[in-house]
Amino acid sequence: MDKLRLGIIGIGNIGTGHTSNILEGQCPGIRITAAADRRESRRSWIHEQLPDIPVFSEGEELIASGTCDAVLICVPHYQHPPLAISAMRHGLHVLVEKPAGVYTLQVREMNEEADRHPELAFGLMYNQRTNCVYRKLKEMIDGGELGTLKRVSWLITDWYRTQQYYDSGAWRATWAGEGGGVLLNQCPHQLDLLQWLCGLPVRVRAFCHEGKWHDIEVEDDVTAYLEYENGATGVFVSTTGDAPGTNRLEITGTRGKVICERNKLTFSRLAVDERVWCRTSPDAYMKPECETFEVETDGLNPQHSGVLNAFADHILHGGPMIADGREGIRGLMLSNAMHLSSWLGKPVDLPFDEVLFRDLLMERCRHSRHKKEVDVTYNMIGSY
Amino acid sequence: MDKLRLGIIGIGNIGTGHTSNILEGQCPGIRITAAADRRESRRSWIHEQLPDIPVFSEGEELIASGTCDAVLICVPHYQHPPLAISAMRHGLHVLVEKPAGVYTLQVREMNEEADRHPELAFGLMYNQRTNCVYRKLKEMIDGGELGTLKRVSWLITDWYRTQQYYDSGAWRATWAGEGGGVLLNQCPHQLDLLQWLCGLPVRVRAFCHEGKWHDIEVEDDVTAYLEYENGATGVFVSTTGDAPGTNRLEITGTRGKVICERNKLTFSRLAVDERVWCRTSPDAYMKPECETFEVETDGLNPQHSGVLNAFADHILHGGPMIADGREGIRGLMLSNAMHLSSWLGKPVDLPFDEVLFRDLLMERCRHSRHKKEVDVTYNMIGSY
């Protein structure tokens, strides 16, 4: 195999972006050999782009067609696990768009299926992990440069969306269609990065506000407080209602503080571990000596194409993927725990009661508001 | 009267700073005519500075001495209201160091006494209100430049203190001596500014960690979530355990966002109110047009001397004070609500049960740890 034969399931907003990237030559190891979408308009579009490939209405038809080595799943979130499981059972490698799914129980099934197919690649489209700034930060933390985690704060309020956005898709921002709001649609990247960088907290208390800034039934404003096993604490704030919004991640460890903002990493490095200093300093107010500087990175940020290329390279040549699919459940645990805490009005310990979460979610789905069908497609690559 | 005759009660850390400022000529309308401190070492110090003034052991003696027109109260927090009340009953103008007191019930008594003496000046040492940056911000908010409040976030984690600091005074960081930790000692300025700028929230959920970074019985790490009457939310994070720490205030309104950091105000001003834009924009992702710039201020930041001079000018010539003493209760309500929420493990609505708060605090005082007497004095002016 010199090129991976890829089937794209779901040629909606993000699927359109992936298709365009590949057609523009950004993924030399990949050839699109099939596509599927339930909408006639999207099938017509892909047929115009690639007249020679089979185009299906259903992902399951594509999976059974024998035309691909791998599938890229870009359909609404609820369908990620069942399609991934089916693809694996047909011997196909699988790359899933974020989030891994809507609730952890269904994602556990997907992960278990993946474990039964160690010969298959299973990846998650965590394109933000390819950003040089986050990669460098991960390297610094893992290398001990920040010492032990004390505090993390992420204000990620620059996911602005207008009412028009929410009116553009019947599945959007409904419990039945999407299973949540800003936590499920916009935040999965940051929730993954947060757990990737700092690990999972052991306790979450969140305050989700539903339909606060938009006429929708799910949350569009979230503030969450996190506690980690070592006592470190965190704050995570997100919304689709703020303009111009902020994206500022600050992580404090015992050996310094790093701020990630505007794609720059600023490190304040202490000469002495603060915990040692606190106990031994004869001065009451003085801080340890500190040097602040911008951290250099390799400047590379290949995003979606980077994930696709690593996925193909992994299958073709055994290279490393950007994110193993099994890790998708971790960010979703954070997201589910935030929802659950807000619904119950109290802190939630991790691991939480996943059956209770699913039941409460399904209850919401039963009362989910019907939205009229619309058929609008955006190329969203730029907005991620 | 051409100069205000001021008695200083408490020549400890901050009292020493005030005395030095006045002796250095920063307060031309004020003459120190008496002082009081329970410690012989501090009485000796003031006697060296001002050999001709009477020096008392007890504030009550100073108040009864007839040597002053006004008193500046710089003793441990619990004693602020009783001394202020006594001074007012003796016909003295009163300026109280922050916080107004330790619990709101005692501060209400002080405010009620003040209401019985409309002829007397009653002020709070909220020196941060003199900072040009906060004054300008207040002016912008009150002038409607930010529109309606949507979100506020204050990371104020640069109150670093070593263990030595806490070991330097027997009253420090004990329930009986100080009534709290970082919320009572370091944060009163920010809690006042927060309510001054954004108003009081209607609901608070806080997470206070006691003795987390230091060997003390009170909180040295706080994360609080706030909800305002109009639905706006906020986050307030503080600690004495972080180095180098952060002081970053971000306020988002419907017409823009302002960031206050490193004594600079950065305003992102929207061309259109976001709430109108959200409902009417035909685009899904685009934000309203936005212009970002640094806001000019008058550059003045007279701090403690500014409060003292305004207080004297108010008495001598009828000018405005920086902060009316009656406003001191508002920041304390925030502080008490944060403690209460953390103690109860649930959200607290404002106004909260002030009797319950006092009872829970007194319970803590009864079990308060005895610390050995020490006698260390810092000139803390620089650290505020």
Side-chain angles (χ1 to χ4, degrees):
Chain A
M1 196 187 332
D2 64 334
K3 282 207 181 200
L4 185 69
R5 297 182 306 153
L6 184 73
I8 301 184
I9 304 177
I11 315 286
N13 302 317
I14 196 73
T16 301
H18 295 317
T19 303
S20 301
N21 284 346
I22 297 169
L23 294 181
E24 284 165 13
Q26 292 183 30
C27 305
I30 295 175
R31 189 153 51 93
I32 301 174
T33 54
D37 200 290
R38 288 179 173 170
R39 289 168 295 179
E40 167 58 30
S41 64
R42 302 314 299 153
R43 292 197 297 273
S44 300
W45 180 83
I46 194 80
H47 182 68
E48 284 165 28
Q49 310 296 317
L50 290 161
D52 299 330
I53 69 165
V55 180
F56 305 92
S57 298
E58 290 295 324
E60 290 291 356
E61 295 173 294
L62 181 149
I63 288 168
S65 70
T67 55
C68 316
D69 309 309
V71 290
L72 172 55
I73 300 176
C74 314
V75 292
H77 322 326
Y78 277 106
Q79 302 164 45
H80 292 178
L83 283 170
I85 290 169
S86 174
M88 291 172 194
R89 287 180 181 164
H90 281 82
L92 299 176
H93 306 286
V94 174
L95 183 59
V96 178
E97 256 298 337
K98 56 86 209 169
V102 175
Y103 53 97
T104 51
L105 281 182
Q106 62 163 189
V107 174
R108 285 196 192 285
E109 284 181 42
M110 176 169 72
N111 286 357
E112 284 160 15
E113 191 65 35
D115 286 342
R116 285 191 278 272
H117 305 280
E119 75 287 3
L120 297 177
F122 173 38
L124 239 301
M125 182 56 81
Y126 279 146
N127 45 288
Q128 289 293 354
R129 286 200 195 179
T130 68
N131 185 325
C132 50
V133 166
Y134 299 123
R135 280 188 286 112
K136 183 67 191 178
L137 187 49
K138 170 81 171 159
E139 185 188 312
M140 289 169 65
I141 293 172
D142 289 355
E145 289 193 61
L146 264 79
T148 308
L149 180 69
K150 293 169 76 179
R151 189 181 314 281
V152 56
S153 152
W154 203 336
L155 294 186
I156 167 70
T157 56
D158 71 344
W159 284 123
Y160 190 65
R161 298 294 185 263
T162 65
Q163 185 62 41
Q164 173 56 32
Y165 167 82
Y166 290 110
D167 294 342
S168 73
W171 65 294
R172 274 203 196 289
T174 61
W175 294 115
E178 209 168 2
V182 66
L183 284 176
L184 264 288
N185 191 305
Q186 284 78 26
C187 289
H189 290 301
Q190 285 79 34
L191 294 174
D192 174 60
L193 291 171
L194 188 58
Q195 71 79 21
W196 191 51
L197 296 167
C198 299
L200 277 175
V202 293
R203 174 171 275 203
V204 169
R205 177 65 167 102
F207 306 85
C208 302
H209 298 271
E210 298 168 357
K212 181 171 185 168
W213 307 112
H214 307 88
D215 181 20
I216 54 175
E217 65 183 16
V218 296
E219 83 288 350
D220 55 4
D221 195 292
V222 176
T223 300
Y225 165 75
L226 316 171
E227 285 182 4
Y228 293 84
E229 195 167 14
N230 75 344
T233 62
V235 164
F236 184 85
V237 181
S238 194
T239 184
T240 53
D242 280 7
T246 292
N247 183 358
R248 182 181 186 278
L249 169 63
E250 172 177 314
I251 303 180
T252 302
T254 55
R255 297 198 64 98
K257 176 178 86 169
V258 65
I259 295 169
C260 179
E261 197 174 11
R262 284 183 286 273
N263 268 311
K264 269 175 43 178
L265 273 185
T266 307
F267 186 25
S268 297
R269 181 163 57 195
L270 299 176
V272 182
D273 187 288
E274 184 282 320
R275 296 286 69 213
V276 175
W277 178 272
C278 178
R279 286 189 296 269
T280 55
S281 167
D283 190 90
Y285 301 93
M286 205 189 292
K287 299 168 187 177
E289 202 182 311
C290 180
E291 177 195 13
T292 297
F293 55 95
E294 186 182 338
V295 179
E296 268 192 58
T297 69
D298 63 21
L300 301 175
N301 188 7
Q303 290 291 329
H304 299 88
S305 302
V307 176
L308 274 166
N309 288 333
F311 178 70
D313 182 64
H314 177 70
I315 295 164
L316 298 173
H317 312 293
M321 285 195 297
I322 300 299
D324 187 285
R326 292 163 191 82
E327 293 177 38
I329 201 168
R330 294 172 62 85
L332 190 65
M333 282 177 74
L334 255 179
S335 162
N336 285 183
M338 288 179 187
H339 268 131
L340 187 59
S341 165
S342 188
W343 295 344
L344 299 176
K346 60 182 190 183
V348 161
D349 292 330
L350 272 72
F352 55 88
D353 183 339
E354 300 188 348
V355 173
L356 174 64
F357 176 80
R358 184 202 53 198
D359 292 350
L360 290 175
L361 174 65
M362 291 304 138
E363 177 67 22
R364 278 166 176 74
C365 289
R366 273 190 293 279
H367 300 105
S368 195
R369 171 153 69 140
H370 185 74
K371 283 169 70 173
K372 72 174 195 299
E373 260 316 322
V374 283
D375 184 2
V376 179
T377 300
Y378 304 112
N379 180 342
M380 316 172 66
I381 286 285
S383 77
Y384 278 66
Chain B
M1 196 188 330
D2 64 332
K3 281 207 180 199
L4 184 71
R5 298 181 306 151
L6 184 73
I8 301 184
I9 303 177
I11 313 286
N13 302 317
I14 196 73
T16 301
H18 294 317
T19 304
S20 302
N21 284 347
I22 297 169
L23 295 180
E24 284 164 13
Q26 292 183 30
C27 303
I30 294 175
R31 189 153 50 91
I32 301 175
T33 54
D37 201 290
R38 288 179 172 169
R39 289 167 297 178
E40 166 59 29
S41 63
R42 302 314 298 153
R43 293 196 297 272
S44 302
W45 181 83
I46 194 79
H47 182 68
E48 283 165 30
Q49 310 296 316
L50 290 162
D52 299 329
I53 68 164
V55 180
F56 305 93
S57 298
E58 289 295 325
E60 291 290 356
E61 294 173 291
L62 182 148
I63 288 168
S65 70
T67 56
C68 316
D69 309 310
V71 290
L72 172 55
I73 299 175
C74 314
V75 292
H77 322 324
Y78 277 107
Q79 302 164 46
H80 292 178
L83 283 170
I85 290 170
S86 175
M88 291 171 193
R89 287 181 180 163
H90 281 82
L92 299 176
H93 305 286
V94 174
L95 184 58
V96 178
E97 257 297 338
K98 55 87 210 169
V102 175
Y103 53 97
T104 51
L105 281 183
Q106 60 163 192
V107 174
R108 287 197 190 283
E109 285 181 40
M110 176 169 71
N111 287 356
E112 285 160 14
E113 191 65 35
D115 286 342
R116 285 191 278 272
H117 305 281
E119 75 286 3
L120 297 176
F122 172 37
L124 240 300
M125 182 56 81
Y126 278 145
N127 46 286
Q128 289 292 354
R129 286 200 195 180
T130 68
N131 186 325
C132 50
V133 166
Y134 298 123
R135 279 188 288 111
K136 183 66 191 177
L137 188 47
K138 170 80 171 160
E139 185 188 313
M140 289 169 65
I141 292 172
D142 289 356
E145 289 193 59
L146 265 79
T148 308
L149 180 69
K150 293 168 76 179
R151 190 181 313 281
V152 54
S153 151
W154 203 336
L155 293 186
I156 167 69
T157 56
D158 71 344
W159 283 123
Y160 190 65
R161 298 293 185 262
T162 66
Q163 186 61 40
Q164 173 58 31
Y165 167 82
Y166 290 109
D167 294 343
S168 72
W171 65 293
R172 273 202 197 292
T174 61
W175 293 115
E178 208 168 3
V182 67
L183 284 176
L184 264 288
N185 192 303
Q186 284 78 28
C187 289
H189 290 301
Q190 285 79 33
L191 295 174
D192 173 60
L193 292 171
L194 188 57
Q195 72 79 21
W196 191 52
L197 296 167
C198 299
L200 278 175
V202 293
R203 174 170 274 203
V204 169
R205 177 64 167 102
F207 307 85
C208 301
H209 298 272
E210 298 169 357
K212 181 170 183 169
W213 307 112
H214 307 88
D215 181 19
I216 54 174
E217 65 183 18
V218 295
E219 83 288 349
D220 55 5
D221 195 291
V222 175
T223 300
Y225 165 75
L226 316 170
E227 284 181 5
Y228 293 84
E229 195 167 14
N230 75 344
T233 62
V235 164
F236 183 85
V237 181
S238 194
T239 183
T240 53
D242 280 8
T246 291
N247 183 357
R248 182 181 186 279
L249 169 63
E250 172 178 314
I251 302 180
T252 302
T254 55
R255 297 197 66 96
K257 176 178 87 171
V258 64
I259 295 169
C260 178
E261 196 175 11
R262 284 183 286 272
N263 269 310
K264 269 175 43 178
L265 275 186
T266 308
F267 186 24
S268 297
R269 181 163 58 195
L270 300 176
V272 183
D273 187 289
E274 184 283 319
R275 295 286 69 214
V276 175
W277 179 271
C278 177
R279 285 190 297 270
T280 55
S281 168
D283 190 90
Y285 302 93
M286 207 190 291
K287 301 167 187 178
E289 202 183 311
C290 179
E291 176 195 16
T292 297
F293 55 94
E294 188 182 337
V295 179
E296 269 192 58
T297 70
D298 62 22
L300 302 175
N301 188 6
Q303 290 290 328
H304 299 86
S305 303
V307 177
L308 273 166
N309 289 332
F311 178 69
D313 182 63
H314 178 70
I315 295 165
L316 298 173
H317 312 293
M321 286 195 297
I322 300 299
D324 187 285
R326 292 163 191 82
E327 292 177 39
I329 201 167
R330 294 172 62 85
L332 189 65
M333 282 177 74
L334 255 180
S335 162
N336 285 183
M338 288 180 188
H339 268 131
L340 187 59
S341 165
S342 188
W343 295 344
L344 299 176
K346 62 181 189 184
V348 160
D349 292 330
L350 272 70
F352 54 89
D353 183 340
E354 301 188 348
V355 173
L356 174 65
F357 176 79
R358 182 202 55 196
D359 292 350
L360 290 175
L361 174 64
M362 292 304 140
E363 177 66 23
R364 278 166 176 75
C365 289
R366 275 191 290 281
H367 299 106
S368 195
R369 172 151 70 139
H370 185 74
K371 283 171 70 172
K372 72 173 195 303
E373 261 316 322
V374 283
D375 185 1
V376 179
T377 300
Y378 304 110
N379 181 340
M380 314 170 67
I381 288 283
S383 77
Y384 278 69

